[in-house]
Amino acid sequence: MSEGDMMARCPAVFIAAPASGQGKTTVTAALARMLRNRGRVVRVFKTGPDYLDPRVLAQASGQPVDPLDLWMAGEAYCRQRLFEAAREADLILVEGAMGLFDGEPSSADLAARFGLPMVVVMDVKGMAQTAAALVAGLAGFRDDIRIVGLIANACGSARHRELIEAALPARVPLLAAVPRDAALALPERHLGLVQAEEIRDDLEARFEAGAEALAAEGLAEALLDLPPVAFSAAPTEAAAAPPWLAGRTIAVARDAAFSFVYQANLDLLERMGASLRFFSPLADRALPACDALWLPGGYPELHAAGLAANAALRDDIRLAFAADLPILAECGGLLYCLESLTDADEHTHAMLGLLPGQGAMRGRRGCQGMQTAELPEGPVRGHAHHRSQASGTPEPVAHGRRQRHPAPGEAIYRSRRLTASYLHLFFPDNPAAVARLFGADTAEASRADSTKECQACN
């Protein structure tokens, strides 16, 4: 590959905020739709582990949206994804997570690592000149980041805007003031935004309203005129993974109850040779013919009655379990594998019963954090994010290892060939371990692959 093929250049902006709840996703989606409406290709990324925001942003931009996380996915993965996007996009948008300096690594760390200029989105309700002071403090907190402007969200009036703009330092101009309008905000529920598929038409109206508000500020021209950022290629282990899963079919649950799936995970399974067959535990009466089964996370607590009512599908999964098919159950998938699930309205529903135990919602308090799943097949990084609890479960075979805390993380359960945990795994972190998790003999597959290469050389 020539030096030119190893580099790509494209204008890019990191959308950050001083805290969660400032409107980053609302603004990022509006920016993406504004530029898409002008015929531009916008590639959007979301910082950190997230399933809900990326699907909203994908609908707004018309392009796939991947997570970028220096710890969970690694620098090489992030670098390669940005490089690939820069080769096709007119603009790259990266939405941050939490406050821009929160977490290790933080949004600021990601922006600094790849030289991304930052735009701060701030909810300015209840303040004026203080908003300018906060932005000035953010801009001066570290010398390895560059904040190029402020988008004032929930701005109350033209006078409100004038007060903020007049107080800002010259190096951080006011790029736009988004009016205080409930029609622009994105709907939320207990784990974050409502799933895009549930409110597609409503989201379309909000995207268009936001795009119109930002277009009036001349933001499209300002962003496209930014100096391009240079991104270098970084081939990853996942991209070079052998076809360990060739000839194997993996059934993947996918519907309103089970939808927390990284596209990168699906891509890796297919790159390793697997055939994916999607099915709905809510609607389908039979499990597709398969060699392994994946029950990802989602919102089973919102659909527990429907899951319980589909007795034919539950019986089919029990037969697969008894036949020792490899099964991976993550978070919501774990709840589905227990004997029962009690929803937020205190109604209890029968689940699969593959594992002893009962699942129940526990109000607003939840568990989240980055962890490494210490699996017998090998360590795989991921994260936990849930507001339910499992009780009466068997002794775990292992626990997650927390990113920065010595206490044991989420329990990991094994029964026959079922692996179940609250952890959501990021498959590209350890392709060989994931292949083994789904039943591949990676040593045998590697030997067969090497034999084919030798035969081709002869």
Side-chain angles (χ1 to χ4, degrees):
M1 186 178 289
S2 68
E3 184 176 350
D5 292 332
M6 295 289 288
M7 296 293 295
R9 290 173 172 80
C10 178
V13 178
F14 196 106
I15 306 299
S20 298
Q22 302 294 294
K24 293 190 300 293
T25 306
T26 297
V27 169
T28 304
L31 289 171
R33 177 53 60 90
M34 174 187 69
L35 290 158
R36 178 185 175 185
N37 286 347
R38 296 187 176 214
R40 302 298 186 133
V41 176
V42 186
R43 287 299 310 275
V44 187
F45 294 91
K46 170 66 182 179
T47 305
D50 197 317
Y51 296 105
L52 299 172
D53 291 8
R55 281 149 58 195
V56 170
L57 297 172
Q59 182 180 332
S61 65
Q63 298 288 333
V65 175
D66 293 319
L68 296 181
D69 187 273
L70 289 173
W71 185 84
M72 184 179 73
E75 180 177 343
Y77 174 88
C78 296
R79 189 175 298 280
Q80 181 67 16
R81 300 303 292 135
L82 288 167
F83 165 77
E84 292 167 358
R87 298 180 72 181
E88 62 182 35
D90 296 304
L91 177 73
I92 291 173
L93 295 174
V94 180
E95 184 195 334
M98 303 181 292
L100 76 165
F101 299 117
D102 297 329
E104 295 183 37
S106 65
S107 291
D109 293 330
L110 184 66
R113 186 71 55 90
F114 299 112
L116 304 175
M118 306 182 84
V119 169
V120 172
V121 172
M122 185 184 301
D123 187 325
V124 296
K125 182 180 179 181
M127 59 179 164
Q129 292 90 340
T130 300
L134 290 173
V135 173
L138 296 173
F141 189 70
R142 283 173 50 168
D143 58 11
D144 60 346
I145 62 167
R146 182 166 60 96
I147 294 177
V148 297
L150 167 69
I151 296 178
N153 191 26
C155 195
S157 64
R159 178 56 179 161
H160 190 188
R161 175 195 178 119
E162 289 172 2
L163 292 171
I164 296 170
E165 190 167 22
L168 283 168
R171 70 183 188 280
V172 187
L174 182 66
L175 299 177
V178 181
R180 193 179 304 161
D181 185 349
L184 302 179
L186 302 177
E188 297 187 1
R189 64 161 60 116
H190 59 276
L191 289 182
L193 298 180
V194 177
Q195 298 182 89
E197 294 82 358
E198 299 177 43
I199 51 170
R200 183 167 294 276
D201 292 342
D202 181 41
L203 285 178
E204 284 297 310
R206 294 172 190 271
F207 294 155
E208 293 296 335
E212 183 178 348
L214 293 179
E217 303 276 355
L219 258 185
E221 294 77 10
L223 296 180
L224 292 169
D225 287 343
L226 286 170
V229 178
F231 299 101
S232 59
T236 63
E237 179 184 352
W244 284 316
L245 293 170
R248 299 186 68 80
T249 298
I250 301 175
V252 183
R254 185 167 69 177
D255 58 17
F258 300 99
S259 58
F260 290 2
V261 176
Y262 293 122
Q263 185 61 42
N265 287 3
L266 299 175
D267 292 344
L268 175 63
L269 294 177
E270 291 186 319
R271 196 177 301 120
M272 293 193 295
S275 265
L276 304 182
R277 297 193 64 183
F278 298 97
F279 72 100
S280 168
L282 287 170
D284 291 333
R285 309 298 293 173
L287 190 67
C290 60
D291 305 294
L293 172 61
W294 179 16
L295 301 171
Y299 284 114
E301 66 273 17
L302 299 179
H303 303 278
L307 294 171
N310 194 350
L313 191 279
R314 287 193 292 135
D315 287 343
D316 234 18
I317 295 178
R318 290 183 185 119
L319 289 174
F321 171 76
D324 283 333
L325 253 68
I327 303 174
L328 173 63
E330 301 177 311
C331 199
L334 162 66
L335 295 177
Y336 188 38
C337 287
L338 298 176
E339 295 167 296
S340 66
L341 173 58
T342 301
D343 61 25
D345 296 322
E346 299 297 324
H347 298 138
T348 299
H349 307 272
M351 294 288 107
L352 292 171
L354 307 187
L355 274 179
Q358 299 76 42
M361 300 306 294
R362 58 177 182 183
R364 297 294 298 177
R365 294 188 63 192
C367 176
Q368 58 187 341
M370 311 296 278
Q371 298 181 29
T372 299
E374 297 291 356
L375 301 168
E377 292 79 8
V380 184
R381 289 186 173 187
H383 74 283
H385 184 67
H386 59 94
R387 291 204 173 118
S388 65
Q389 59 185 356
S391 60
T393 50
E395 187 69 20
V397 296
H399 286 85
R401 176 164 42 86
R402 299 178 188 273
Q403 181 189 6
R404 298 185 182 278
H405 196 283
E410 298 288 355
I412 299 170
Y413 303 104
R414 273 279 166 87
S415 179
R416 303 184 76 101
R417 299 192 71 184
L418 165 69
T419 302
S421 175
Y422 267 119
L423 290 172
H424 301 273
L425 306 183
F426 189 71
F427 294 177
D429 178 59
N430 191 339
V434 169
R436 289 191 286 270
L437 199 59
F438 285 109
D441 181 343
T442 56
E444 183 63 33
S446 296
R447 285 194 294 271
D449 194 50
S450 298
T451 301
K452 290 178 183 179
E453 289 180 5
C454 292
Q455 289 172 347
C457 292
N458 294 332

